[in-house]
Amino acid sequence: MSNVLRVALVDPKDSSRESLKSTLLGMDIVWLEAECSRYEFFSDVVGQTNPDIGIVAIDSDPEKAIRLIREVNESTPDCSILVISGSSDGQLILKAMRAGAKEFLTQPLVIEDLVSALERIGHHRFGKGDSKSRGCKVITVCGATGGVGSTSLAVNLGCILAAQEQNNVALIDLDLALGDSDVFLDTIPDYTLLDVAQNIKRLDFNLLKRSLTRHSSGLYLLPRPVQLQEEAPISPDDLSRVIGLMKATFTHLIIDTSKAYSALDMLAMKEANVNLMTIQLDLPCLRNVVRLMMSFSEVDGLKEKTRVIVNRVGLDNGEISLKKAQETIGSEIYWQIPNEYRIMVEVRNNGVPLIEQAPRAGITQALTGLAEALSGDGSKKNAGGKSGLGRWFGFLSSKADKAGKAEESEASADA
């Protein structure tokens, strides 16, 4: 329980208290420690349970609630107060904040606003480095061109993360036209991203989870729409709300973008903690990465959180060297995935993820290392390492170097 926010709730109105309780119980970022129906008892409840956040619905008796906020703030200063009210009166808001409230939300409650308020309190209370302020890690997987394996990377990375008991992982397929993450997982979903987006205003956390398809690995999937549309059926605002809901529900959210870099794709990348740019060591990919990075540099922070992933390393002897690739794109290679074509064809055609069908394969181990790095501080990288996976890639590099030297020797002999 060290990675969630512990919450105590007080609301004399049964209907609104039950509604808010249901919302909180559906959120993985909080633990409902206690609920109370009387303002008079809440201070004692807070003292006994010592929650991180006290949620006070003040409409039953605003003056009594304001006194309660002041009392809790003085007796238990470690408990941050979040106020909920149907009134947006400026004087009432000012009184609540002066009494010690950290956040003030108006009803009807917008779930994204509640999530944001909880995240702000968690960040302020525990800081970035404390494990207690967990949040959700949002990862987009994009490709420098089509066919580089970005969907395969997204699906298998999601399954590897979901296999860890402490994780709760979801995947959004944002390629609205040709996404095929459901094929990789051999699933026939009942609902799609379009269904969720169109009903976002009435969704709660429990209904959201029922709208997702759960794979045997534990990964939840929200696939692309079934029908092709002439116009984008999902607006950026719709997608933003979907992401907001899922951030409050999951520890990891992976978004497989399209290759169009549409408004939806760019929104997802801005929302993400890290963007994995998947490439191969060939000229078209490197050219596109340079163009994309130039574009990303115009968006605050986007280029800095984009990591280049080289897929299918060792594909053939004619591929561009890692050193030359890094010089061309002007940034380091964050991770390398070896080429194991036969294994990937098998898992794709069987609809079974790597972690289940080939757990000991080099490609699976590389993705497992990537998952571990992304779950940590994000600074770890396998490009140039000399232990573990680094030995595997060192072997590939030395093998390629030997092949190149052999060709040079043969050429000299022929001359």
PDB file of all heavy atoms in Angstrom, residues 202-215:
ATOM      1  N   ARG A 202     -20.270   9.805 -19.153  1.00  0.00           N
ATOM      2  CA  ARG A 202     -20.999   9.011 -18.169  1.00  0.00           C
ATOM      3  C   ARG A 202     -20.211   7.816 -17.651  1.00  0.00           C
ATOM      4  O   ARG A 202     -20.721   6.998 -16.912  1.00  0.00           O
ATOM      5  CB  ARG A 202     -22.335   8.538 -18.756  1.00  0.00           C
ATOM      6  CG  ARG A 202     -22.213   7.574 -19.921  1.00  0.00           C
ATOM      7  CD  ARG A 202     -23.584   7.232 -20.480  1.00  0.00           C
ATOM      8  NE  ARG A 202     -23.533   6.188 -21.485  1.00  0.00           N
ATOM      9  CZ  ARG A 202     -23.585   4.889 -21.208  1.00  0.00           C
ATOM     10  NH1 ARG A 202     -23.688   4.501 -19.956  1.00  0.00           N
ATOM     11  NH2 ARG A 202     -23.542   3.992 -22.173  1.00  0.00           N
ATOM     12  N   LEU A 203     -18.949   7.744 -18.035  1.00  0.00           N
ATOM     13  CA  LEU A 203     -18.112   6.627 -17.589  1.00  0.00           C
ATOM     14  C   LEU A 203     -17.601   6.860 -16.175  1.00  0.00           C
ATOM     15  O   LEU A 203     -17.246   7.969 -15.806  1.00  0.00           O
ATOM     16  CB  LEU A 203     -16.900   6.456 -18.513  1.00  0.00           C
ATOM     17  CG  LEU A 203     -17.074   5.647 -19.794  1.00  0.00           C
ATOM     18  CD1 LEU A 203     -15.747   5.582 -20.529  1.00  0.00           C
ATOM     19  CD2 LEU A 203     -17.575   4.241 -19.518  1.00  0.00           C
ATOM     20  N   ASP A 204     -17.585   5.790 -15.389  1.00  0.00           N
ATOM     21  CA  ASP A 204     -16.824   5.808 -14.154  1.00  0.00           C
ATOM     22  C   ASP A 204     -15.721   4.763 -14.290  1.00  0.00           C
ATOM     23  O   ASP A 204     -15.578   4.117 -15.319  1.00  0.00           O
ATOM     24  CB  ASP A 204     -17.716   5.543 -12.932  1.00  0.00           C
ATOM     25  CG  ASP A 204     -18.427   4.192 -13.022  1.00  0.00           C
ATOM     26  OD1 ASP A 204     -17.938   3.286 -13.741  1.00  0.00           O
ATOM     27  OD2 ASP A 204     -19.475   4.028 -12.373  1.00  0.00           O
ATOM     28  N   PHE A 205     -14.928   4.591 -13.243  1.00  0.00           N
ATOM     29  CA  PHE A 205     -13.764   3.717 -13.356  1.00  0.00           C
ATOM     30  C   PHE A 205     -14.145   2.260 -13.532  1.00  0.00           C
ATOM     31  O   PHE A 205     -13.499   1.517 -14.261  1.00  0.00           O
ATOM     32  CB  PHE A 205     -12.864   3.901 -12.128  1.00  0.00           C
ATOM     33  CG  PHE A 205     -12.304   5.286 -12.022  1.00  0.00           C
ATOM     34  CD1 PHE A 205     -12.848   6.207 -11.152  1.00  0.00           C
ATOM     35  CD2 PHE A 205     -11.255   5.677 -12.820  1.00  0.00           C
ATOM     36  CE1 PHE A 205     -12.343   7.489 -11.063  1.00  0.00           C
ATOM     37  CE2 PHE A 205     -10.745   6.967 -12.744  1.00  0.00           C
ATOM     38  CZ  PHE A 205     -11.291   7.865 -11.866  1.00  0.00           C
ATOM     39  N   ASN A 206     -15.212   1.835 -12.856  1.00  0.00           N
ATOM     40  CA  ASN A 206     -15.633   0.443 -12.991  1.00  0.00           C
ATOM     41  C   ASN A 206     -16.169   0.159 -14.383  1.00  0.00           C
ATOM     42  O   ASN A 206     -15.871  -0.879 -14.983  1.00  0.00           O
ATOM     43  CB  ASN A 206     -16.694   0.112 -11.937  1.00  0.00           C
ATOM     44  CG  ASN A 206     -16.153   0.168 -10.525  1.00  0.00           C
ATOM     45  OD1 ASN A 206     -15.042  -0.279 -10.279  1.00  0.00           O
ATOM     46  ND2 ASN A 206     -16.921   0.722  -9.606  1.00  0.00           N
ATOM     47  N   LEU A 207     -16.961   1.083 -14.923  1.00  0.00           N
ATOM     48  CA  LEU A 207     -17.497   0.909 -16.277  1.00  0.00           C
ATOM     49  C   LEU A 207     -16.378   0.955 -17.312  1.00  0.00           C
ATOM     50  O   LEU A 207     -16.408   0.232 -18.314  1.00  0.00           O
ATOM     51  CB  LEU A 207     -18.536   1.992 -16.571  1.00  0.00           C
ATOM     52  CG  LEU A 207     -19.277   1.882 -17.911  1.00  0.00           C
ATOM     53  CD1 LEU A 207     -19.965   0.540 -18.036  1.00  0.00           C
ATOM     54  CD2 LEU A 207     -20.287   3.023 -18.071  1.00  0.00           C
ATOM     55  N   LEU A 208     -15.373   1.793 -17.056  1.00  0.00           N
ATOM     56  CA  LEU A 208     -14.236   1.860 -17.969  1.00  0.00           C
ATOM     57  C   LEU A 208     -13.546   0.505 -18.073  1.00  0.00           C
ATOM     58  O   LEU A 208     -13.285   0.011 -19.172  1.00  0.00           O
ATOM     59  CB  LEU A 208     -13.232   2.910 -17.488  1.00  0.00           C
ATOM     60  CG  LEU A 208     -11.896   2.944 -18.245  1.00  0.00           C
ATOM     61  CD1 LEU A 208     -12.097   3.375 -19.684  1.00  0.00           C
ATOM     62  CD2 LEU A 208     -10.892   3.850 -17.549  1.00  0.00           C
ATOM     63  N   LYS A 209     -13.272  -0.116 -16.919  1.00  0.00           N
ATOM     64  CA  LYS A 209     -12.583  -1.410 -16.948  1.00  0.00           C
ATOM     65  C   LYS A 209     -13.421  -2.474 -17.643  1.00  0.00           C
ATOM     66  O   LYS A 209     -12.886  -3.352 -18.318  1.00  0.00           O
ATOM     67  CB  LYS A 209     -12.205  -1.854 -15.534  1.00  0.00           C
ATOM     68  CG  LYS A 209     -10.876  -1.292 -15.059  1.00  0.00           C
ATOM     69  CD  LYS A 209     -10.314  -2.082 -13.900  1.00  0.00           C
ATOM     70  CE  LYS A 209      -8.883  -1.641 -13.601  1.00  0.00           C
ATOM     71  NZ  LYS A 209      -8.301  -2.369 -12.460  1.00  0.00           N
ATOM     72  N   ARG A 210     -14.734  -2.399 -17.485  1.00  0.00           N
ATOM     73  CA  ARG A 210     -15.594  -3.372 -18.164  1.00  0.00           C
ATOM     74  C   ARG A 210     -15.613  -3.158 -19.660  1.00  0.00           C
ATOM     75  O   ARG A 210     -15.964  -4.065 -20.423  1.00  0.00           O
ATOM     76  CB  ARG A 210     -17.018  -3.308 -17.603  1.00  0.00           C
ATOM     77  CG  ARG A 210     -17.131  -3.809 -16.176  1.00  0.00           C
ATOM     78  CD  ARG A 210     -18.578  -4.179 -15.837  1.00  0.00           C
ATOM     79  NE  ARG A 210     -19.465  -3.035 -15.911  1.00  0.00           N
ATOM     80  CZ  ARG A 210     -19.717  -2.221 -14.900  1.00  0.00           C
ATOM     81  NH1 ARG A 210     -19.119  -2.415 -13.728  1.00  0.00           N
ATOM     82  NH2 ARG A 210     -20.552  -1.214 -15.038  1.00  0.00           N
ATOM     83  N   SER A 211     -15.236  -1.965 -20.112  1.00  0.00           N
ATOM     84  CA  SER A 211     -15.203  -1.663 -21.543  1.00  0.00           C
ATOM     85  C   SER A 211     -13.916  -2.135 -22.201  1.00  0.00           C
ATOM     86  O   SER A 211     -13.819  -2.147 -23.429  1.00  0.00           O
ATOM     87  CB  SER A 211     -15.359  -0.149 -21.765  1.00  0.00           C
ATOM     88  OG  SER A 211     -16.573   0.321 -21.216  1.00  0.00           O
ATOM     89  N   LEU A 212     -12.923  -2.494 -21.395  1.00  0.00           N
ATOM     90  CA  LEU A 212     -11.642  -2.937 -21.927  1.00  0.00           C
ATOM     91  C   LEU A 212     -11.620  -4.450 -22.070  1.00  0.00           C
ATOM     92  O   LEU A 212     -12.372  -5.168 -21.408  1.00  0.00           O
ATOM     93  CB  LEU A 212     -10.498  -2.497 -21.004  1.00  0.00           C
ATOM     94  CG  LEU A 212     -10.427  -1.006 -20.672  1.00  0.00           C
ATOM     95  CD1 LEU A 212      -9.289  -0.753 -19.692  1.00  0.00           C
ATOM     96  CD2 LEU A 212     -10.249  -0.182 -21.923  1.00  0.00           C
ATOM     97  N   THR A 213     -10.746  -4.921 -22.946  1.00  0.00           N
ATOM     98  CA  THR A 213     -10.561  -6.360 -23.123  1.00  0.00           C
ATOM     99  C   THR A 213      -9.307  -6.788 -22.380  1.00  0.00           C
ATOM    100  O   THR A 213      -8.228  -6.240 -22.603  1.00  0.00           O
ATOM    101  CB  THR A 213     -10.424  -6.704 -24.623  1.00  0.00           C
ATOM    102  OG1 THR A 213     -11.618  -6.298 -25.313  1.00  0.00           O
ATOM    103  CG2 THR A 213     -10.214  -8.201 -24.815  1.00  0.00           C
ATOM    104  N   ARG A 214      -9.464  -7.783 -21.493  1.00  0.00           N
ATOM    105  CA  ARG A 214      -8.328  -8.229 -20.688  1.00  0.00           C
ATOM    106  C   ARG A 214      -7.711  -9.479 -21.303  1.00  0.00           C
ATOM    107  O   ARG A 214      -8.382 -10.487 -21.490  1.00  0.00           O
ATOM    108  CB  ARG A 214      -8.750  -8.517 -19.254  1.00  0.00           C
ATOM    109  CG  ARG A 214      -7.568  -8.748 -18.308  1.00  0.00           C
ATOM    110  CD  ARG A 214      -8.061  -8.930 -16.876  1.00  0.00           C
ATOM    111  NE  ARG A 214      -6.951  -8.962 -15.921  1.00  0.00           N
ATOM    112  CZ  ARG A 214      -6.281 -10.060 -15.580  1.00  0.00           C
ATOM    113  NH1 ARG A 214      -6.617 -11.232 -16.133  1.00  0.00           N
ATOM    114  NH2 ARG A 214      -5.295 -10.008 -14.709  1.00  0.00           N
ATOM    115  N   HIS A 215      -6.423  -9.409 -21.621  1.00  0.00           N
ATOM    116  CA  HIS A 215      -5.683 -10.539 -22.157  1.00  0.00           C
ATOM    117  C   HIS A 215      -5.220 -11.439 -21.019  1.00  0.00           C
ATOM    118  O   HIS A 215      -5.146 -11.010 -19.864  1.00  0.00           O
ATOM    119  CB  HIS A 215      -4.476 -10.020 -22.960  1.00  0.00           C
ATOM    120  CG  HIS A 215      -3.698 -11.075 -23.661  1.00  0.00           C
ATOM    121  ND1 HIS A 215      -2.498 -11.573 -23.179  1.00  0.00           N
ATOM    122  CD2 HIS A 215      -3.952 -11.772 -24.810  1.00  0.00           C
ATOM    123  CE1 HIS A 215      -2.048 -12.487 -24.000  1.00  0.00           C
ATOM    124  NE2 HIS A 215      -2.907 -12.632 -24.996  1.00  0.00           N
TER     125      HIS A 215
END
